[in-house]
Amino acid sequence: MIALVAWWGLISGAVFTVVVLASWWFTPDMWLGDVTEGEQSALVTPASAAWFVGIVISFAGGGFVAAWIAAADHDAGFVAAALVAYAVMGIVNLVDLVVVDIAVFLWMRPSWMTLPNIEMPTDLGMHIRASLNGLLLAVPLAAVAGIVALAA
């Protein structure tokens, strides 16, 4: 089961990274609330809403698939399936923190990830707090993934 978690975590982390970076490329204004730490509201458009849905699906999708595989192939119960889903989402969260937040956003700082007239944050703490929030968000998602995996 460890291989299952590692495999789906890395695959989902790569997909999540692509979706997040693409959302920065196509609809950077949706990240306005994040980069200003809530001082300005993000612009909500149909495009940014669609990207947000894609981000949530790419974050949780691998966990749902891994939980389903664990329940189907390994006769895992609810707790095991939910833990598999949570572990996969934790790996996705870690990939996001290291690749997107630290490597790309803080170190490389590409020009397409800057917003006009907005000072981009350089605080690692903000990204760590967001990562911890992602781990909290993964708890109910993992529970739902465990329920869905057993129902399938």
Side-chain angles (χ1 to χ4, degrees):
M1 251 205 264
I2 293 173
L4 172 73
V5 168
W7 173 254
W8 280 102
L10 292 175
I11 295 293
S12 301
V15 170
F16 183 77
T17 298
V18 168
V19 171
V20 167
L21 293 176
S23 71
W24 266 100
W25 179 266
F26 291 108
T27 57
D29 291 341
M30 75 178 276
W31 296 100
L32 191 59
D34 288 339
V35 298
T36 62
E37 296 190 49
E39 291 177 18
Q40 295 187 26
S41 296
L43 300 176
V44 179
T45 65
S48 66
W51 279 107
F52 179 77
V53 169
I55 288 169
V56 170
I57 290 171
S58 65
F59 176 72
F64 275 74
V65 171
W68 176 73
I69 292 171
D73 293 347
H74 302 288
D75 293 327
F78 166 75
V79 172
L83 286 174
V84 164
Y86 186 79
V88 168
M89 289 182 234
I91 292 172
V92 171
N93 203 21
L94 183 62
V95 168
D96 173 58
L97 176 65
V98 172
V99 175
V100 176
D101 294 345
I102 295 173
V104 176
F105 192 81
L106 292 177
W107 290 346
M108 294 169 35
R109 302 187 66 83
S111 61
W112 52 270
M113 284 184 87
T114 57
L115 299 171
N117 303 320
I118 301 293
E119 184 177 334
M120 301 303 277
T122 58
D123 177 25
L124 178 61
M126 179 191 86
H127 296 284
I128 292 173
R129 285 189 300 277
S131 183
L132 293 173
N133 286 339
L135 290 175
L136 289 176
L137 172 67
V139 171
L141 289 173
V144 171
I147 292 168
V148 170
L150 293 180

